[in-house]
Amino acid sequence: AQTIHQWPVAEIKAVGSPLSLGCTIKGKSSPNLYWYWQATGGTLQQLFYSITVGQVESVVQLNLSASRPKDDQFILSTEKLLLSHSGFYLCAWSLRGSGNTLYFGEGSRLIVV
Amino acid sequence: GDSVTQTEGLVTLTKGLPVMLNCTYQTTYSPFLFWYVQHLNEAPKLLLKSSTDNKRTEHQGFYATLHKSSSSFHLQKSSVQLSDSALYFCALSPITGNTGKLIFGLGTTLQVQP
């Protein structure tokens, strides 16, 4: 069975500090991978998606970057956090031909102070 | 452009009553429609999905029918339970190949009272 794991579960970081969030998917070969951001009680905003290793498409510009160093790994990062980066970050996967049916990880909650 | 509209931000109901959460969409492509449910402090989970016109799809007591003529995919349940209290998102995937595009509505919070 496929599993998706995100790390860390939660972080409190200072403005201007770097950030790295990760996710790993096991049990699926060559999935599409996504990063979403959600403000508390808000909608899901797609940040990035990747259909293959080394290829990442940016959907919105939020001073964040993403990389896919391995088929089963997706990394979200920034060198300088802003207060506006606070929120819930969700990694998700889908398979080609599934109509982009997304399955989310448990999420990483970020508070920037 | 492609968009999803959920007209209700908050729906409050008494346990046992029926519910309908509205979802309409706009796209020039053949669509896949989804409903996701997110309980407090949890990740969203897939509830329903459909790309077939006029076919009812059901899961966990919830059901929805994609109507392409009216661009709608409303979520319904005949009798809500306290555990149904959550944030519900309608989402649209315009099928244009493997673009990874999935658009979420603003969400509807369902509060079920005893």
Side-chain angles (χ1 to χ4, degrees), chain B residues 11 16 18 34 37 51 66 78 81 88 92-93 102 106:
Chain B
V11 172
F34 305 84
V37 57
S51 62
L66 176 60
S78 57
Q81 304 304 309
Y88 291 80
L92 163 71
S93 176
L102 191 65
L106 294 180

Side-chain angles (χ1 to χ4, degrees), chain B residues 46-88:
Chain B
L46 178 67
L47 185 56
L48 293 171
K49 68 175 184 178
S50 181
S51 62
T52 306
D53 199 12
N54 296 318
K55 182 180 177 183
R56 175 165 152 158
T57 182
E58 299 188 37
H59 185 62
Q60 296 182 337
F62 287 92
Y63 58 95
T65 303
L66 176 60
H67 291 297
K68 293 184 180 180
S69 60
S70 57
S71 300
S72 67
F73 191 55
H74 305 317
L75 182 68
Q76 299 183 73
K77 191 174 186 184
S78 57
S79 173
V80 293
Q81 304 304 309
L82 293 174
S83 59
D84 293 329
S85 294
L87 180 56
Y88 291 80

Side-chain angles (χ1 to χ4, degrees), chain A residues 14-32:
Chain A
V15 169
S17 64
L19 172 76
S20 182
L21 303 176
C23 104
T24 300
I25 295 86
K26 296 298 183 188
K28 288 296 176 187
S29 180
S30 302
N32 290 345

Side-chain angles (χ1 to χ4, degrees), chain B residues 23-61:
Chain B
C23 174
T24 56
Y25 65 90
Q26 198 167 24
T27 183
T28 55
Y29 301 99
S30 182
F32 237 107
L33 270 294
F34 305 84
W35 277 100
Y36 282 84
V37 57
Q38 186 177 25
H39 288 93
L40 193 62
N41 295 322
E42 293 184 8
K45 291 186 176 69
L46 178 67
L47 185 56
L48 293 171
K49 68 175 184 178
S50 181
S51 62
T52 306
D53 199 12
N54 296 318
K55 182 180 177 183
R56 175 165 152 158
T57 182
E58 299 188 37
H59 185 62
Q60 296 182 337

Side-chain angles (χ1 to χ4, degrees), chain A residues 32 34 36 38 42-44 46 49 51 88 90 96 98-106 109, chain B residues 32 34 36 38 41-44 46 49 87 89 93 95 97-102 104-106:
Chain A
N32 290 345
Y34 308 78
Y36 277 83
Q38 184 183 34
T43 190
L44 296 158
Q46 188 176 2
Y49 73 92
I51 62 172
F88 196 35
L90 292 150
R96 296 175 198 189
S98 70
N100 291 327
T101 303
L102 294 189
Y103 299 93
F104 289 92
E106 63 268 27
R109 198 165 297 280
Chain B
F32 237 107
F34 305 84
Y36 282 84
Q38 186 177 25
N41 295 322
E42 293 184 8
L46 178 67
K49 68 175 184 178
L87 180 56
F89 290 104
S93 176
I95 303 303
N98 195 24
T99 62
K101 191 175 182 183
L102 191 65
F104 284 85
L106 294 180

